[in-house]
Each structure stands twice: as structure tokens, then as C-alpha cells.
Amino acid sequence: MKAHITVPSLNVIKEIQARMVILLCLALSFLMVTFTVNAQKVITKSQDTILPLITLNEVILISAKQELQYQKQYKPLSSLDEYLEFSRKVDMIKRGAYAWEPTLNNMTSERLSVTIDGMKVFGACTDKMDPITSYVDVSNLSKAHIISGQKGAAYGSTIGGAINLELDKSNFKGTGFKASIENSYETNNKLKVIGAEANFSNTDFYVDSDIVYRKAENYSDGDGKEIAFSQYEKYNVSINGGYKTNPKNAITATLIFDEAHNIGYPALPMDVSLARALITSIGFENDSIGAFSNFKSKIYYNTVTHIMDDSKRPDVPIRMDMPGWSDTYGFMSEAKLKTKKHSFLLKWDGFYNQSLAEMTMYPNNPNERSMFMLTWPDIRTLNSGIYAEDDISFKKSSFNISTRVAIQNSTIADEFGLNSLKIFYPNINKNQVRVLKSLSVQWHKNFVPYRLNFGLSYGDRAPSVSEAYGFYLFNSFDNHDYIGDPKLKNEESLEANAKISIEKSNYELGIESTAFRMPNYIIGEIDTSLSTMTIGADGVKIYKNLTYANLINVAINGQYKIFPELVLDGQVSYHRGKDNKNRNLPFISPLSYSSSIQYNKKRFSGTFKIRGAAKQVNFNSDFGEDQTLAYTVFSLNFGKTFYLNNDLVYAKMGVENLFDKKYSTYTDWKNIPRMGRNFFITLTYSMY
């Protein structure tokens, strides 16, 4: 039986979108007036995940093992980067078509805790060309858990929040054997995706395995111009399993191997010949130990190798090789304790990381000697922390208190690297100990149909390896060399967040905001007394602590059920960031908006999406930014599920950037244009 849908005309959809944007902008204006009357406070976005309370969490479902989830996914075999970009909270910094860097609350990776199943993984690239999200695939994952602000301290010390990528596991569900074959093709960059998975699960044992291969050529922008050096090729293999030693105890294990080759970065002066990661863990789970329940413990190890080179670039001032390595050993244990009104979560975790990166310059004149330096001088970081959380429940409200305390020791293990840094800091020590702290208080109230959330938090973070120990790291965005400062103070955050929402049977509307006051904000400042190392660089910056910086994020989102099968939703968000000198902070989003109309009935689905942003007027040229123009792009897709006996066949096709718009956003490094019109088709055959 076929389902039919009449798609509204483009003019009708534009009119609906225009009216919705006007209404949301009016509400946004009212909210901004209310907030700016008070002081320079800043606040975060949130989404309900547990009824009837409001939390500062967002969950992006990724696993596509059920028919309903297939229908909801915009593009089932898209990259993880694209999944995260669909989030209401996350933007992605793009240096090419591969390995985008996630930002949360307009904060980049230094201020976030990004984990894979709770495991710490650290990239091996000094130019952040290998964010942690690049070493997993959607085939590995069930969901991405996005936590705003200090609630993210459950996954490590943070300022902006946390992103935890949860692995897809059968978890003793007793579903027997299942397998699937998946493939996808995209026209713009000739992307080919081929994947397969096989899973077996009963009440005592499960094993999940999958493999996926991706290869893309150069893509073209909205003017049809080919963007050179935007190709990539990668494959990913993962296996995880579990065995119950008795009805209450289980042993689990995970292995992920990810390797990418020939990765082009058109916005950067160098490409990547190899990016490889091995991620492993062994865990123990127990339903109850004494008064505690849901006890989980694991040890893990991961190693990352990243090799930058410019051998395929036709004209460079000087040839360079820039390899980097990162090894991490870690553990974590957590348990829950429930009483009549209290729900406790206790967690102990720790990691040991070794980060090493080097650079060799080869002069064009063979008679001249090559030059070698350690850009990360073999930094050894030992971190151990305790996290505790208590949810106190009342009749129509709840009170959440969470805290984290961690001790971190950093050591410069390489004498050559230590002596290099002593050129700038003669009295630095090899070892440095820091105490990291976090405290969050959240209040939730349910006034059916209204819901209210308010919270206050404090937290701090240690400088990253680059910020503290980086040695002449070239940033092509602002064309400066950067040098770290081991004496930097911990960056701090005073945070306030609020949300009010109304939920009716046929519509939802919410207004949310977060404000951050960040003492000792870390950023690079020009030092005119120093000479550049990179040919053509404009100067040298050293990481410094500013007195403070302020950041505010405000979002209005709504959803309206036109019919049970037809849903309209949208969001408008506003962001503003300034430092103590009244300068605009870098990578702060302009006014942005998105909307979609979704149809789901029986085995058919369709989605029409609109997203865009206003002109970026609050930019800072000192950090390499310039004005990005306003844009609006449109996308459309259709999906259909079929059954062959007990097997499932799912097909989805669509077009992105429908009108072939040439544009770039504030997160596009050096204004590299986004992809032009792109048709895609995905086919999945699942055997049950």
C-alpha cells in the first residue's frame, strides 16, 4: 500500500517560513531586551530529554536499526560531522570536506570535553585537523549526547560543555542474528560509501561488528568551481561485545580501527597523508553492588597517528613534514544510588596522555640544511577526577547539584623541547600541577503546560597542550605563528542558564539562553618583539590570559503539528561575544535560523529544510575574520521502506543546496565555499 503526499509549492513554503521567522524574531527581540537590561550575562541552549523535567541535554539519534529511525534520519549514511551539524547546539568549523571541528555554545575544542563512550581521546594534530569526531563513523554509534556547560563535567573538565559519542551495542537484547549491507552515492563530490554490519545477541552474549568505506573526489561550489584538495578516503572497522558471567555481572570489550588517506584541506597550506586511530577498551558491569546499582567500570587505551605533508601542493615556499602522535591510557568507574527523593551518580575517572609533534623544513636549495623543531615537546599529562551528582525530586520540581574535582600534572618529557621553550620562559619547570573544579546547581519546575529551568555554574579548565607548550604553531586563519605559555592561569567560567517552554498537544515553544563570564580567558595576543618562523606569516602571537570575556547565546525554537503526519519546526538563535577590551571574540555565530516541514506516514517520509544566517557584522579582523554575507539554502529528501519477507529494504534520496547557492559561513576557514547542489541516494538491506 503506497502513501501519497502533496508537496506544498515553493511560494507557500516561503510564506510559511517568512511568517515563522518574523514571529520568532519578535519573540527573540523581547527576550534580548529582558536580558540586556541586567548586565553582561551569558546563557546556553537546552532540550528536554527526561519528562517532566528540563535538562541541558540534547540527544542526536544516529543508529539506524529500526524502521522509524530510518525515516527520521535526514541522510542515513552521512558523515558524523553532518549529523552533529543538524544539532541545535553544535556548529562545525570546516577546513575542507573532512574532519570538521565541533563547537558548542560557540566554543571550540579546547573548551569542550569530547569523548567516545566516556573515553578520552586526544588528536595528534597541532592544527586541529583531526578532531576526535573524525575517528569514529556513524556505523559505530547509537547517539551523540550533547551536554551544555558545567553539566558536561561528568565527562571531564570543561567550559562550554561536552559531546559524548555513545557506541551502538546490542546489550544482551536477545535479538539473535542480524546483518545489513549499506551503500550511498553523492553526485557533487562523487562520494561513494559502502558498509556492512553483522550482529548477534542473546541474553548471555552479544557481538556487534561493522565496516564502512568512504571515498570522495573534489567537490564544487555553487558557481560550479572545483575546490581543489578537498578529496578524502577512509575506512573504519569496529567490533564490540559482551559476555555475562552470571545474571548480574558482564564483561564488555570494544575495538575501533579508523584510517584515512589522501585527505585534502583546501583552506590550509598542508594536506594529510595519514590519519590513523586505534581505540580499545575492556569493561565490567554489575547490576548492583550493595546499595549501589548500574555499576560500570572500564580501562581503555587509544593511539592516534597524524601525518601532515605538502608533497602534492604544486607551489609552496618550503617543503615541510609535520607528524604527530597521541597515546592515551585511561579508566573510569561509576555507580548510581537511589533513595526516595535522591538519585546519586558517583564517578571516578582518570587518564594519562602523551602528545608529541614535530616539524622538519626542507629548503628548496639542496645545499642548505633542513631545520627540525618539536612543536609539541612530548607532553605527558596525568589527570584524575571525581564527579558527583544528586537529583532531588519533589512533587512538580527537581533540584540538581553536581560537582567535579580533578588534579592534573603535566610534564615536558623531551629535554630538547624543554630547552626550546626556555628561550621564552627561562625559569619554567618540567612539571606543573593544577587543581580543576566544577560546581553546577540546576532547578526545574513543571507548571503544566509550562516548564521552567534555571541554573548557575562555576568551572575551570587547564590550558591545552598547544596553549601551554606549543612552539611556533602556524595559524593560517590569521596568518600568525603561535607560541604557548606554560605559566597560563586556569581559564574560568561563571555561567547562568534559563529556559521556559510551553507544550501543548499540537505545538511546542521554548526560549532558552546561557551566559558565560570567563575570567582568565585564553587567547593569542601579538608580540611584536618576536620574529616569525613561517615564511609569509604576519607576526607572532603568544597565548595570554585576558582579564575576562563575555559570551551570550539565545535561542527560540518551536514545533507545530499541522496534521499528525505533517510537522513544522524551526529555530532562531542569537550569539554575542566580547572580551574585556570590547573586542569581538572569534568564531561567534551571527543571527541564524533553520526550519523544516516533515512528513511521516506508514513507510514513507519526506522533509523540506531551510537554514541560513544573517550577515556577520560582529567579526574581528585581528583574528583573521571578515564579513560573511547572509545566505539561505534549501534541501529536500524522500524515503521509503519496503519489506521482503522479514527483511527490510530502505531507500532515501534527496538534494542538498537545492538552488546551487554559492556561500560560506562564519565557521568556514578562510571563507572556503560550501558545497553546491548535491544529489544523494542511500540504499540499505537489513536481514533479521
Side-chain angles (χ1 to χ4, degrees), residues 506-619:
N506 62 336
Y507 74 89
E508 300 176 9
L509 181 65
I511 303 174
E512 53 186 322
S513 181
T514 44
F516 297 88
R517 172 84 166 200
M518 293 172 283
N520 298 321
Y521 187 81
I522 299 174
I523 202 164
E525 294 278 56
I526 295 175
D527 189 326
T528 56
S529 67
L530 300 178
S531 300
T532 62
M533 183 72 68
T534 304
I535 298 174
D538 292 333
V540 177
K541 290 185 178 182
I542 293 184
Y543 284 105
K544 299 291 185 182
N545 288 112
L546 301 184
T547 306
Y548 64 85
N550 292 326
L551 175 61
I552 182 168
N553 304 294
V554 182
I556 304 170
N557 53 73
Q559 184 180 93
Y560 178 68
K561 292 182 180 179
I562 304 171
F563 304 109
E565 304 87 1
L566 192 64
V567 178
L568 175 69
D569 66 22
Q571 172 172 295
V572 174
S573 61
Y574 173 84
H575 315 268
R576 196 76 171 94
K578 285 193 171 186
D579 66 13
N580 61 297
K581 299 178 183 178
N582 207 35
R583 297 179 301 180
N584 294 315
L585 297 181
F587 289 113
I588 304 298
S589 172
L591 180 74
S592 62
Y593 56 89
S594 64
S595 182
S596 69
I597 185 166
Q598 304 169 45
Y599 180 85
N600 283 283
K601 187 173 183 180
K602 296 183 178 178
R603 300 176 186 174
F604 179 83
S605 64
T607 303
F608 181 77
K609 293 180 68 72
I610 301 171
R611 64 180 178 87
K615 183 187 296 184
Q616 171 65 297
V617 294
N618 298 314
F619 61 92

Side-chain angles (χ1 to χ4, degrees), residues 108 110-111 128 425 461 463-464 466-468 470 473-475 477-485 488 491 520-528 530 539-549 579-581 583-587 620-624:
T108 52
E110 297 92 348
R111 297 178 172 89
K128 300 199 286 187
Y425 312 104
R461 71 166 180 104
S464 68
S466 291
E467 291 169 335
L473 307 179
F474 178 64
N475 184 325
F477 196 80
D478 62 9
N479 206 46
H480 279 73
D481 287 328
Y482 277 69
I483 296 173
D485 183 354
L488 286 170
E491 184 178 276
N520 298 321
Y521 187 81
I522 299 174
I523 202 164
E525 294 278 56
I526 295 175
D527 189 326
T528 56
L530 300 178
V540 177
K541 290 185 178 182
I542 293 184
Y543 284 105
K544 299 291 185 182
N545 288 112
L546 301 184
T547 306
Y548 64 85
D579 66 13
N580 61 297
K581 299 178 183 178
R583 297 179 301 180
N584 294 315
L585 297 181
F587 289 113
N620 191 328
S621 57
D622 290 344
F623 299 114

Side-chain angles (χ1 to χ4, degrees), residues 379-399:
I379 304 302
R380 313 288 178 93
T381 303
L382 179 63
N383 180 296
S384 182
I386 296 175
Y387 176 83
E389 178 180 320
D390 182 17
D391 269 316
I392 308 170
S393 299
F394 302 99
K395 187 175 182 180
K396 290 187 178 181
S397 64
S398 75
F399 197 65

Side-chain angles (χ1 to χ4, degrees), residues 244-256:
K244 281 195 172 183
T245 57
N246 60 51
K248 288 189 174 183
N249 298 335
I251 298 173
T252 61
T254 296
L255 183 147
I256 298 174

